[in-house]
Amino acid sequence: MQQYLQQDIQFLPGVGPKRADMLRQELKIQNFEDLLTYYPYRYVDRSRFYKISEVTSDMPQIQIRGQIAGYASIGKGRGKRLTADFTDGSGHIQLIWFRGAKWIPENYPIGKELVVFGKPTVYQRKLNVVHPELEDPAKKHTVSSNLQAVYSTTEKLKDHYLNSKAISKLMANLIKGLPSKFEETLPAWLLQKLNLVNLESAMRQIHFPDTAAQYKRAELRLKFEELFYIQLNILQGKTDRNKRFRGNVFETVGETFNTFYKDHLPFELTGAQKKVMKEIRRDMGSGRQMNRLLQGDVGSGKTLVALMSMLIAIDNGFQTCIMAPTEILAQQHFKSLGKFLEGMDVQVKLLTGSTKKADREPIHSGLLDGLLQILIGTHALIEDVVQFKNLGLVVIDEQHRFGVAQRARLWKKANVLPHVLVMTATPIPRTLAMTLYGDLDVSVIDELPPGRKPIITRHSYDSKRLMVFGFLKKQLAAGRQAYIVYPLIKESETLDFKDLEDGYESISRAFPPPDYQVSVVHGKMKPEEKEISMRHFVAGRTHIMVATTVIEVGVDVPNVSVMIIESAERFGLSQLHQLRGRVGRGADQSYCILMSGYKISEEGRKRLETMVRTNDGFEIAEVDLKLRGPGNIEGTQQSGIPFNLKIAHLGKDGQILQLARDTAENIVAEDPKLHLEKNFIFAKHVKKGNPNRIDWGSIS
Ligand code: ADP
Ligand code: MG
């Protein structure tokens, strides 16, 4: 069985070396098993025929029966194509081919009864199907079932006649050759308990379903298995680590914390902040290393929670550091923590890439002799020259900007692993957090400080720009400030830069000096220039800040009440939400205006609608997950954690994931090492649940 599946794909009947190369390159299919687990992304019902008069362009792939009434060859050069007028008596539809002009009319003569299968579209107000599949109804399709699996392919594969149908044929060959007994990957007791079908049936039915009900059951079994092994892997690793990694015990809440809480805290903590502080204190006092993810929407007051946690570390004689993803943000933390701690005897320093050599020396020595208590900085903190005397707590802000490896280098800076608090303002849906950060504990600040007015968000077309500027003028006249943000997409940095420059020019024209002052910040400026520009804006000397997304993270200017996002359809949802979080920080009503042209993709439109509808970061994250799938969620790509679910979908399979999680929890609770005989199969396959998974705690 195992041997059969491990064979090189080129030895499958119907493949050979050339096609094997294509499959490898385009779909990463190397062996039989890779193909077997290349699951269809949907099914079409081939028992159903539509009348042409019923067909509309929003239908998926459909099937019609009729005849070709005539062929025509039109266009020149690359636009050259063959068309056929296809009719079934109820109407006409055009078939189009961009190649195969010679053999198609030969094989499918005029007047012959044919079945056409394909996706209807509209071009120049005419219904058509491009590159349809044509079949002789007398021969009927090769597949026995009426539900036909559809596999995603690429243009290149299609050019080499490896379309969905061809893959289906290969799949049939593979399954035909399977040895009689499939090796089960879940124990019988569990299949029975959860009423899941066995692996063999699942594999056959997922590719060649007899009925819709059968493939549903097959799908459930395979999705469950995939998610279950990930959860089992995570939970087993977690229990392991809890045993292995002892943590510093912060038993006291001492003078520093209490002084701050009583005399320096300028406001009452929100209920959510209090709850999270309790969770953190419990972790840090438990004797085990804390690994906690703190989620909270922009402006929910995470920084304060971080600060209070750091004060507890100091009270217990430890040093602590906070790492931010950008220089601007690190500086802002330095400033705001400095303000919170004014008049208290706590040693705080800032270390970033632009810290001068002469200033680094005292920082390094202060860290080594233990006098420096809080270090704030950027990536500069993970350089090897930065050594602490006794680092007890590491806070990482806006976690998604840091890779796992970078975090791990911070870990190393202490004998006993420091406690780790990872803060993120990109809310991660529960389902995703369970999988991505399953080995972290999660705290959520789900409440904003009181008195905040919800930001009003509107979508406006470019053609209404004058109205938007008129509105902006009123806000500026009332003493407010504004951000105008342009997209920055790596692939075309020069183009984007041009967008920004043009924008800056037209804004300067619409808001001319001396009444208005406009600042600009973008990625091509030197850090000092950026800094100066930001400083002018923060001080209120300029009214409008034209910027690329460099302001996305963390910048806090409470007087800004308007955020205008240009080409908003080009931004991802989480980015839009982050940007919007830059306003609404003061007492005034704030606004976010999403500008776009009329031409927006369906997905783009959904994103804008979602932004207009809600301010709730978790709701937005859920929509994002559904729209894009977890592989594209901001943060997961850079996180270094492999993410290649083959069949489960984290946005849609939340319930199955929960079942998988609960099941795995029960098993690990009863048998943490999977030594019981009934769990042998798990022990054998648990590595499957992410073979490349990185163990954050033990990395070195
Ligand atoms: P986050 O980092 O979660 O985006 P911040 O920590 O920057 O949010 O907090 C946003 C603002 O709210 C800051 O100006 C902070 O001082 C303020 N703030 C934090 N907690 C409270 C609270 N409990 N009550 C009132 N204001 C608060
Ligand atoms: Mg913050």
Side-chain angles (χ1 to χ4, degrees):
M1 170 72 194
Q2 216 33 36
Q3 271 174 359
Y4 178 74
L5 287 181
Q6 293 316 310
Q7 288 177 85
D8 191 313
I9 194 67
Q10 70 165 310
F11 301 121
L12 183 71
V15 179
K18 257 213 176 118
R19 284 183 138 188
D21 273 347
M22 296 297 305
L23 289 169
R24 254 193 300 269
Q25 279 168 25
E26 296 290 298
L27 304 178
K28 298 203 172 70
I29 293 176
Q30 316 254 15
N31 59 26
F32 285 24
E33 184 171 5
D34 295 336
L35 181 63
L36 188 64
T37 55
Y38 190 69
Y39 300 115
Y41 72 97
R42 58 187 196 84
Y43 300 85
V44 289
D45 185 354
R46 306 243 7 203
S47 63
R48 163 111 207 233
F49 289 93
Y50 286 84
K51 285 202 190 98
I52 292 177
S53 58
E54 300 174 302
V55 174
T56 57
S57 63
D58 53 12
M59 286 180 170
Q61 284 169 303
I62 47 123
Q63 196 169 229
I64 40 187
R65 200 200 299 246
Q67 301 138 31
I68 288 172
Y71 282 104
S73 220
I74 49 178
K76 275 211 178 75
R78 299 201 73 209
K80 193 168 167 202
R81 58 201 185 272
L82 173 72
T83 66
D85 174 22
F86 191 81
T87 174
D88 63 355
S90 81
H92 291 259
I93 193 165
Q94 195 175 46
L95 310 181
I96 301 178
W97 296 267
F98 290 95
R99 47 181 187 271
K102 201 160 130 36
W103 65 267
I104 287 162
E106 280 170 14
N107 279 277
Y108 305 104
I110 290 170
K112 185 176 159 53
E113 188 72 9
L114 289 173
V115 172
V116 163
F117 175 73
K119 163 87 186 88
T121 51
V122 167
Y123 180 66
Q124 294 183 340
R125 288 205 221 127
K126 253 203 230 158
L127 267 181
N128 63 58
V129 182
V130 177
H131 288 203
E133 277 178 34
L134 290 177
E135 251 170 23
D136 182 346
K139 285 196 205 137
K140 196 59 180 150
H141 39 270
T142 41
V143 188
S144 63
S145 158
N146 282 326
L147 278 178
Q148 191 170 315
V150 183
Y151 300 91
S152 62
T153 61
T154 64
E155 277 310 308
K156 204 163 163 200
L157 284 174
K158 281 185 204 148
D159 280 348
H160 290 75
Y161 305 102
L162 271 167
N163 56 12
S164 168
K165 203 171 151 190
I167 291 178
S168 185
K169 275 188 190 149
L170 297 181
M171 203 67 81
N173 292 345
L174 191 155
I175 287 186
K176 216 184 296 159
L178 270 174
S180 58
K181 204 79 199 107
F182 242 85
E183 189 186 307
E184 247 314 328
T185 45
L186 291 173
W189 67 262
L190 185 63
L191 295 181
Q192 205 170 15
K193 186 172 166 201
L194 300 177
N195 192 18
L196 297 171
V197 297
N198 66 38
L199 184 59
E200 170 163 12
S201 156
M203 281 303 184
R204 290 183 198 278
Q205 293 295 327
I206 199 80
H207 293 296
F208 302 103
D210 290 322
T211 63
Q214 301 248 49
Y215 96 68
K216 279 281 173 209
R217 296 200 67 195
E219 191 183 57
L220 174 64
R221 142 87 207 218
L222 296 170
K223 283 181 171 180
F224 173 84
E225 175 171 354
E226 183 168 45
L227 296 170
F228 168 77
Y229 274 114
I230 293 173
Q231 291 305 319
L232 191 63
N233 191 313
I234 290 170
L235 290 171
Q236 228 204 345
K238 189 167 157 183
T239 33
D240 262 18
R241 213 190 36 234
N242 282 349
K243 292 213 190 73
R244 269 187 296 150
F245 297 113
R246 301 192 31 72
N248 298 304
V249 186
F250 295 177
E251 20 190 39
T252 44
V253 171
E255 207 193 310
T256 326
F257 182 93
N258 285 328
T259 306
F260 174 76
Y261 197 79
K262 284 204 212 90
D263 305 336
H264 294 260
L265 187 60
F267 32 63
E268 181 71 13
L269 292 182
T270 64
Q273 283 170 322
K274 283 185 189 157
K275 176 192 73 189
V276 167
M277 275 314 296
K278 268 200 203 119
E279 290 168 346
I280 292 172
R281 272 179 56 185
R282 198 183 50 217
D283 274 11
M284 296 194 305
S286 72
R288 291 193 320 240
Q289 181 215 7
M290 173 173 78
N291 261 300
R292 192 165 276 280
L293 177 71
L294 174 57
Q295 295 195 38
D297 223 332
V298 270
S300 60
K302 295 185 293 295
T303 314
L304 189 58
V305 168
L307 174 61
M308 291 190 296
S309 309
M310 295 197 289
L311 295 182
I312 294 175
I314 292 171
D315 273 338
N316 287 273
F318 286 91
Q319 293 168 299
T320 160
C321 68
I322 176 164
M323 186 156 85
T326 65
E327 180 128 10
I328 293 180
L329 192 58
Q331 281 163 357
Q332 193 141 43
H333 275 320
F334 184 61
K335 228 182 285 164
S336 61
L337 294 197
K339 220 188 274 160
F340 274 130
L341 295 174
E342 223 163 54
M344 286 183 63
D345 185 22
V346 178
Q347 294 306 309
V348 189
K349 283 257 154 60
L350 175 71
L351 179 68
T352 70
S354 58
T355 303
K356 295 207 180 63
K357 258 220 171 95
D359 297 333
R360 285 176 190 241
E361 215 16 72
I363 292 177
H364 291 163
S365 61
L367 288 173
L368 275 179
D369 61 26
L371 291 179
L372 182 48
Q373 293 162 300
I374 298 180
L375 182 62
I376 298 170
T378 54
H379 292 75
L381 294 197
I382 53 180
E383 282 168 17
D384 288 335
V385 291
V386 180
Q387 293 296 336
F388 294 79
K389 182 175 180 216
N390 57 353
L391 179 60
L393 167 68
V394 173
V395 179
I396 300 174
D397 195 10
E398 311 290 353
Q399 140 287 329
H400 60 277
R401 298 297 171 100
F402 290 105
V404 170
Q406 289 173 320
R407 276 185 290 240
R409 286 181 66 185
L410 259 179
W411 269 227
K412 277 199 314 182
K413 293 185 184 287
N415 299 326
V416 176
L417 286 175
H419 296 297
V420 177
L421 182 66
V422 176
M423 306 196 291
T424 176
T426 309
I428 300 163
R430 237 182 86 71
T431 49
L432 189 58
M434 257 160 75
T435 304
L436 250 190
Y437 305 109
D439 51 352
L440 293 178
D441 297 303
V442 179
S443 290
V444 179
I445 306 189
D446 49 8
E447 180 186 357
L448 292 179
R452 299 270 169 85
K453 294 195 180 82
I455 300 159
I456 295 173
T457 303
R458 294 278 181 268
H459 173 208
S460 175
Y461 292 107
D462 291 337
S463 55
K464 301 267 164 64
R465 187 172 299 277
L466 279 182
M467 270 173 61
V468 173
F469 281 179
F471 170 76
L472 183 53
K473 279 194 176 139
K474 278 197 203 125
Q475 287 287 309
L476 298 183
R480 308 281 97 81
Q481 289 165 284
Y483 292 117
I484 303 182
V485 178
Y486 287 83
L488 187 121
I489 294 170
K490 280 206 189 70
E491 285 85 0
S492 61
E493 221 167 286
T494 41
L495 197 82
D496 292 324
F497 185 58
K498 191 174 171 313
D499 279 359
L500 178 99
E501 274 194 322
D502 291 351
Y504 176 65
E505 238 166 65
S506 78
I507 285 154
S508 301
R509 240 177 289 128
F511 297 87
D515 291 352
Y516 302 101
Q517 301 292 337
V518 183
S519 288
V520 63
V521 169
H522 58 75
K524 294 206 166 166
M525 286 162 76
K526 293 207 185 80
E528 311 89 78
E529 294 173 329
K530 269 190 228 172
E531 174 67 20
I532 290 168
S533 207
M534 274 311 286
R535 216 168 339 168
H536 281 314
F537 187 66
V538 173
R541 283 197 290 275
T542 58
H543 307 103
I544 299 175
M545 165 66 81
V546 175
T548 53
T549 46
V550 288
I551 62 148
E552 177 191 340
V553 176
V555 178
D556 196 2
V557 188
N559 191 45
V560 185
S561 68
V562 184
M563 163 66 70
I564 297 177
I565 304 176
E566 296 284 348
S567 305
E569 78 280 6
R570 285 168 66 186
F571 289 87
L573 259 179
S574 86
Q575 219 180 5
L576 288 173
H577 182 62
Q578 288 284 313
L579 284 169
R580 179 169 59 185
R582 296 307 109 214
V583 297
R585 309 202 136 217
D588 306 299
Q589 177 63 56
S590 291
Y591 304 87
C592 174
I593 301 170
L594 307 168
M595 305 294 298
S596 83
Y598 284 104
K599 245 182 94 177
I600 312 176
S601 70
E602 200 180 316
E603 214 187 289
R605 198 167 288 280
K606 271 228 181 77
R607 288 197 293 265
L608 300 185
E609 277 167 14
T610 305
M611 287 297 294
V612 171
R613 186 185 74 236
T614 180
N615 273 307
D616 178 343
F618 280 92
E619 192 179 337
I620 288 169
E622 292 282 355
V623 175
D624 203 22
L625 185 57
K626 286 207 175 98
L627 282 180
R628 301 203 294 170
N632 293 316
I633 289 283
E634 192 165 340
T636 61
Q637 278 162 335
Q638 303 109 294
S639 67
I641 295 172
F643 228 104
N644 46 0
L645 292 177
K646 286 189 159 155
I647 189 162
H649 187 293
L650 291 178
K652 293 175 186 150
D653 297 326
Q655 277 185 326
I656 304 177
L657 176 58
Q658 190 64 53
L659 179 68
R661 175 82 170 190
D662 293 345
T663 308
E665 257 169 13
N666 289 336
I667 290 165
V668 170
E670 188 195 25
D671 181 15
K673 292 203 169 337
L674 304 176
H675 279 171
L676 295 181
E677 194 176 334
K678 66 171 190 169
N679 294 335
F680 274 2
I681 290 188
F682 297 141
K684 190 168 168 192
H685 293 284
V686 67
K687 291 254 161 5
K688 267 199 320 205
N690 252 338
N692 308 320
R693 226 189 138 68
I694 296 167
D695 182 346
W696 292 16
S698 70
I699 230 165
S700 63

